[in-house]
Each structure stands twice: as structure tokens, then as C-alpha cells.
Amino acid sequence: MKFPSLLFLVAILACSLSVAADDHHHFDPSEKLGTVSFATSCSPAVQKPFERGVALLHSFAYEEANIQFQEIEQQDPRCAIAYWGEAMTLYHELWSRVSKDDLKRGWELLKRAHDIKAKTKRERDYINALSAFYRDPEKPEYEKRTRDYASAMQKVYQKYPGDHEAAIFYALSLLSSSNGMEQARKAVSILNAFFEQQPDHPGVAHYLIHACDKPQLASEGLAAARRYASIAPSAPHALHMPSHIFIRLGLWQDDINSNLAAIAAADKQAAMHLHTAHNRIHSMDYLEYAYLQIGDDAKAQAMIGELGKIKREDLEPEFQSYFNAMRALFPAHYALETRQWKAALTLQAIPDAEPRNRALTFWAQAIAAGHLHDAQAARQAVEQYDAMVTATEKSDKPYAAKGMKT
């Protein structure tokens, strides 16, 4: 990873997000992020900006969403649910673990929301649900936090059956609390109920793609993949995400088109001084693989060159490790997919990379050594790989070693 009568449509249009109509925000007034309806008890002046923030959340445009919610807090300091929104921008559910500092910051924001006391019980329930994740920030237990949040969102979902946002955020929480097939199918069931009812909702299509980002479910996510990019073309992630399904189904040209569009959108956002390098790298990763599958080795190799132009300081702290992983994987994938075994065997682990990312190079070396029937080199590569697993177990991210062993 991811409805009917004229009166009904008029009502939806009256209360839904219309980014182009948001004259109070300094972002491009022509942006298109999809349609979200999230009623609040805040000042009417911040209703559309709030829904814009939620739409950004649904496309994982966390940096922009954070700016939006902070602006709402300045305009209406008594808007308790805005502090919930800002805390949500720190919880990147399907991307990475929340840092210790962000856990503390999220809890501070939610305490502020609690102190304000939102005017509606529904808003207070959203705030209480997210508090289940951020409470006691000094304690580790990250997996427990995700499960507690999912359990709390289930209660909100059940309590407010007419609140589509509760259902959609609950579906996302299921995906973030477990990578299992049961949770994925449950999320798909919830989201499918809204797919035709809310054809312009960014979260429904987005989370369906994530839920179906498995070999067994990929075909079930194709309709969402076909739709998501047209819902929120202003969000680079929305343009990229369909390729998660395209790549699983071998739709290589669709994959390529998706990621070229995502890079173009990221470049446009970069001019607004937003951090977009991680979006570019992720799309380049998918492009390299797709180019290799269609036999365009030159364009695949060009992705390695493009990655080399990106500087470490272009990325936010949470993406530094990801950058190291891609620095290892781009040349490894190219050498292995083009069957250049000797080249793969001579790859060097990145000196300043984390052990789990250095392991990627040794993985490639082991595969190459096997194809070259070089038993000594294979043993050496496996030994170095195992050493990196051990080092990861002893690091501040020991959970990463679990995936290295599978």
C-alpha cells in the first residue's frame, strides 16, 4: 500500500472538501486532493481547511497536513480536534515507527485537546482513541500501541455507524496493527462498502490498495489502483500508490506511467520547499524494477544515477535509513536482474549504513556467488549477512532483525 439523489449530492457538496475553494490557504488553489466530509464543532471558517488537512492525511502528505492543522490551531485555538489532526500527522501508520520525540509531542497535543474539551462527544471519542496510541510516551511497547489504537478506533466505528471517516480510519488502523491476511481482508470488506458510495474519497482507494498489496489480493485492488491517481493528483503518493498493484500484476507500463507522474508531482512540490525526496526515491525504486522487467536496462541504470544525485540532507530524519537501503538495493537489483553475477559479487556494503541495510549487499553477493558456483564466496557472504542480523538484534531497532530472518 489502498452514492445518489440530487439533494444528497447537494448536501455532500455543501459540507465536503473543495480544495480549489479554500482561499485562506497559501497552497496552490488548483490542487486536487479528493473529497472528504468531516464535521467539526470548530469555527465555520476552519471547516474547509480542516477537511483539507484530513484529505492530506489520507494521502500520507503528512508535512502539508501538519502545516494545515497548525494554521487551524492559530485561527481557532479552541478547535480541539485540530490538535488530534496534528497528532495524526506524526503517526505514519504504514511507513515507520513514531520516534520517541514525536511520541512525546503527540501526547502533548492530545493533552491540549483534552484540556479544551471538544463540544461534541464524537470529537472527544476520536481524541480518546488516538490517546490510546500516544499515552505514556516513555514506555516502549510499540506493537501494543498500534493494537490499542485499532481497538479504540473499532469502538468509534461501531458507535458512529453513519460516520464514514470513523470506518475509514479504523480500516487503516487494522492494516497498521497487523500485516496478516485476516486484518487485510477485514479492511477490504470495510472499505469496499464505501468504494462506490464515495468514489472521490482519497482514503478509501488508498487503503484498499494497501490492503490488497499482497499476491493473494492484488487483483482485488486493481479498481482502486485505477481510480486513486485521478482522485488526488496533487499528492505524489497518490500517483505512486497504484503501482503497488500494477507491479504485482505485471502491468509494467502502468507501473512506469504511475511513477513518472509521481516524480513530476514531487518536483512541483519541491518548489514549495516541501520535503519530497523520499517520494522521488520510492518511485525511482519502482521504476528501476519495471524498466528491468521490460528489458530497458539503460533506463533502469539511469535510476541508479538519479539516486546518486540525491543528498542525505534532502531527506527528513525518518527516511535516512530508507535512503541507505535504496543505495544498497538499486545497484544490487540491477546486477541481479541483468544476471551480472561477477558485478554483484563485487558490490561493496555502504560504510555508514545501518547493519540491516549493509546486509542487503551481502544478500546480493550470496545470490551471485551461488550462480557462479563459488562456495567460498557464498559462505563468506552468508556469514557477513548473519553478522549483520546479530548486530541488528543488538541495535536500537532489534525488531528489524525478525524480517531479516524470514
Side-chain angles (χ1 to χ4, degrees), residues 222-290:
L222 185 56
R226 296 288 188 205
R227 182 178 295 176
Y228 186 29
S230 64
I231 291 173
S234 296
H237 190 67
L239 296 172
H240 158 75
M241 268 308 299
S243 66
H244 280 242
I245 299 298
F246 298 151
I247 201 169
R248 288 200 180 277
L249 298 178
L251 301 172
W252 305 120
Q253 194 56 53
D254 289 325
D255 179 1
I256 291 167
N257 294 341
S258 178
N259 285 289
L260 289 175
I263 289 175
D267 289 344
K268 183 177 181 180
Q269 285 196 335
M272 300 160 58
H273 306 291
L274 295 169
H275 293 90
T276 61
H278 61 280
N279 284 314
R280 287 181 54 82
I281 294 171
H282 195 45
S283 290
M284 286 159 53
D285 178 24
Y286 274 65
L287 279 172
E288 182 198 30
Y289 189 74

Side-chain angles (χ1 to χ4, degrees), residues 133 135-136 139 141-147 149:
F133 177 82
R135 188 174 285 108
D136 298 324
K139 294 183 179 179
E141 304 176 329
Y142 193 85
E143 287 78 9
K144 183 178 183 301
R145 291 180 185 279
T146 64
R147 292 193 300 269
Y149 172 62

